[in-house]
Amino acid sequence: MKSDMAKEGLQKAPHRSLFKALGLTDEELSRPLIGVVNSKNDIVPGHINLDKIAEAVKTGISMAGGTPLEFHTIGVCDGIAMNHTGMKYSLGSRELIADSVEIMAVAHAFDALVFIPNCDKIVPGMLMAAARLNLPAIFVSGGPMLAGTVAGRKVSVTQVFEGVGAAAAGRMGMEELRELEERACPTCGSCAGMFTANSMNCLTEALGMGLPGNGTIPAVYSERIRLAKQAGMKIMELWKRDIKPSDIMTAAAFRNAICMDMAIGCSTNSVLHLMAIASEAGVDIDLNLFNQISEITPHLCKLSPAGDHHVEDLYQAGGIQALFNELSKKSLINLDCLTVTGQTVGENIAGRPVLDYSVIRSIENPYSTSGGLAILFGNLAPEGAVVKKSAVCEEMMRHEGPARVFNSEEEAVESILNKQIMPGDVIVIRYEGPSGGPGMREMLTPTSAVAGMGLDKEVALITDGRFSGATRGASIGHVSPEAGLGGPIALIEEGDLIRIDIPNCKLELLVEERVLAERRERWQVPEPKIKTGYMKRYAEMVQSASTGAIFKK
């Protein structure tokens, strides 16, 4: 056992004494020590039930002959951090989470780990740590929130954000907005649509690192507690069989996950996080792979914000295993990939058909023959940009319009709410990238304001920042290189024409190269927006969004 280095032999008598100060017996010390990595806190709605999940996990570990020891990580609620300085810290928390897990796991010589995440950066941060440490590991999330109901219509936090724009435009009354505020988030759990948290929990299942149901069983269902007990028991099997993340998170598993991503229309953040996780796992993937897989993967689900279904509907339709079953009908899934069940993907999905074809469409009747995300390239994004094309209306799949340039999110939001954006405009929000932001803020407030004001079929938005999974419309993020590093987005001037061609994966600034060269000569490196603390160090260490915004090696 790896933990023997901290508890076995003559020299470890002091160590055993300290373990016994915790109340552990010799019998418990003779067993494998299993770290239970919990992100529970009282501020994130997706995390307030994680104490119950952790207790169930620990019960499962004890039942199967291990000794569970719980420790915690930080976690940011992106919704609460949205549209203020706090959002600059969200992406940066991913690296802190991975590093803190590494420190705790190595310092205390754990034999295996059970990870309990739920929301946006916590899931990828923990997956990065699992790949880096390569100890037997399994994930069990806290589960998705149920959708709310207003006037017989299912709603989520998306409608509240969009309600702000609608109220500002006079399209919604304050009482209606108040009712949305009261009813949109009715339970604990990760917000109810296919936003970033649920995207990453489903992708964890697709990668093979979570048991079937990890991504879709609602947070308030007792089935989620049973799943947590099963995860606790299963980690002991993984430890005994020495099945590690490197055996599971292979190149083929990442292809499976990207295929699911395209079929279900996950958050654009999934691109950023999958690349970062793959880097830790030693798997080489780049942005072109996403387009290659998108070309052959049909889009089978339209979950909020792209459609009216929510994650609870995906659960009732059979979940990720049923989706894999459908994709396997055209040999799009590698069925031989090992998973934390101890079995292969093919064995997991046997007997797991789609239960509701109105939620998961037949592979013969997709929404489109290509996937839900697209990577755009062109002189405005030489290293790429990302759009959730499944949430873009047909009218905006191709668009050409004048640039409305803003050097911060706040400037753009003020202009949108003051009705200074006209139909046809292309809103450009820059200096919000990984280094220049710093922290690559999500832009749910401006995109929701545009949608709420009824402009989502007439206005596009591009940024070197990123978007919440709750964003819809022609919202193009992760533009690389970023403005803070002198990328072409820094050279755009008010009124420049921008051409967007999502079907052909193109993003172009219609300005002569000679003119751009002159602007480049005049461009100056901006002053850092944060000059002290962690985010100052983060800005100095982080790389382009095209790498997954990982740290320099």
Side-chain angles (χ1 to χ4, degrees), residues 16 27 29 43 73 93 113 165 169 184 201 226 264 329 342 402 430 455 510:
R16 290 191 296 274
E27 170 62 26
L29 287 175
I43 188 66
T73 70
S93 73
L113 298 168
N201 283 327
R226 298 196 298 273
I264 211 167
K329 293 177 181 178
R430 62 190 180 189
L455 293 172
L510 303 183

Side-chain angles (χ1 to χ4, degrees), residues 246-328:
S246 59
D247 301 313
I248 295 171
M249 287 196 282
T250 62
F254 276 97
R255 290 187 69 93
N256 280 353
I258 295 171
C259 186
M260 187 225 81
D261 197 341
M262 295 303 165
I264 211 167
C266 288
S267 163
T268 51
N269 283 314
S270 64
V271 176
L272 202 69
H273 298 322
L274 282 172
M275 293 183 73
I277 298 159
S279 177
E280 293 286 358
V283 174
D284 184 25
I285 62 175
D286 66 24
L287 287 172
N288 290 297
L289 181 62
F290 289 87
N291 278 346
Q292 292 166 16
I293 293 176
S294 180
E295 286 176 9
I296 61 172
T297 305
H299 181 213
L300 302 184
C301 294
K302 278 206 170 186
L303 304 176
S304 176
D308 294 329
H309 294 130
H310 294 79
V311 179
E312 64 195 74
D313 301 306
L314 179 60
Y315 162 75
Q316 297 292 349
I320 301 306
Q321 303 305 306
L323 180 73
F324 265 18
N325 197 320
E326 196 66 23
L327 291 169
S328 72

Side-chain angles (χ1 to χ4, degrees), residues 178-398:
R178 173 73 175 176
E179 186 176 13
L180 272 174
E181 177 185 328
E182 291 291 332
R183 298 181 180 275
C185 300
T187 73
C188 63
S190 46
C191 297
M194 190 48 67
F195 313 147
T196 302
N198 289 325
S199 293
M200 293 311 303
N201 283 327
C202 288
L203 285 165
T204 299
E205 186 177 333
L207 273 171
M209 291 298 294
L211 293 174
N214 177 71
T216 59
I217 298 170
V220 294
Y221 283 17
S222 297
E223 186 181 354
R224 175 66 57 179
I225 300 297
R226 298 196 298 273
L227 187 77
K229 290 179 181 176
Q230 290 163 5
M233 291 185 282
K234 187 60 69 172
I235 192 61
M236 298 310 299
E237 178 186 332
L238 296 174
W239 174 77
K240 289 171 186 173
R241 294 175 59 185
D242 196 31
I243 295 175
K244 301 187 183 75
S246 59
D247 301 313
I248 295 171
M249 287 196 282
T250 62
F254 276 97
R255 290 187 69 93
N256 280 353
I258 295 171
C259 186
M260 187 225 81
D261 197 341
M262 295 303 165
I264 211 167
C266 288
S267 163
T268 51
N269 283 314
S270 64
V271 176
L272 202 69
H273 298 322
L274 282 172
M275 293 183 73
I277 298 159
S279 177
E280 293 286 358
V283 174
D284 184 25
I285 62 175
D286 66 24
L287 287 172
N288 290 297
L289 181 62
F290 289 87
N291 278 346
Q292 292 166 16
I293 293 176
S294 180
E295 286 176 9
I296 61 172
T297 305
H299 181 213
L300 302 184
C301 294
K302 278 206 170 186
L303 304 176
S304 176
D308 294 329
H309 294 130
H310 294 79
V311 179
E312 64 195 74
D313 301 306
L314 179 60
Y315 162 75
Q316 297 292 349
I320 301 306
Q321 303 305 306
L323 180 73
F324 265 18
N325 197 320
E326 196 66 23
L327 291 169
S328 72
K329 293 177 181 178
K330 288 198 174 178
S331 301
L332 293 170
I333 297 296
N334 187 319
L335 301 179
D336 296 326
C337 290
L338 184 63
T339 75
V340 290
T341 65
Q343 297 182 304
T344 64
V345 169
E347 291 170 319
N348 289 347
I349 69 174
R352 301 290 293 269
V354 173
L355 302 177
D356 186 346
Y357 278 109
S358 72
V359 178
I360 303 174
R361 283 200 173 186
S362 161
I363 201 161
E364 303 295 341
N365 181 38
Y367 287 102
S368 68
T369 56
S370 61
L373 298 180
I375 311 299
L376 311 185
F377 294 95
N379 71 336
L380 184 46
E383 295 178 6
V386 186
V387 63
K388 187 171 185 173
K389 67 177 185 178
S390 61
V392 179
C393 62
E394 187 61 35
E395 295 91 328
M396 293 299 294
M397 295 297 281
R398 290 182 174 89

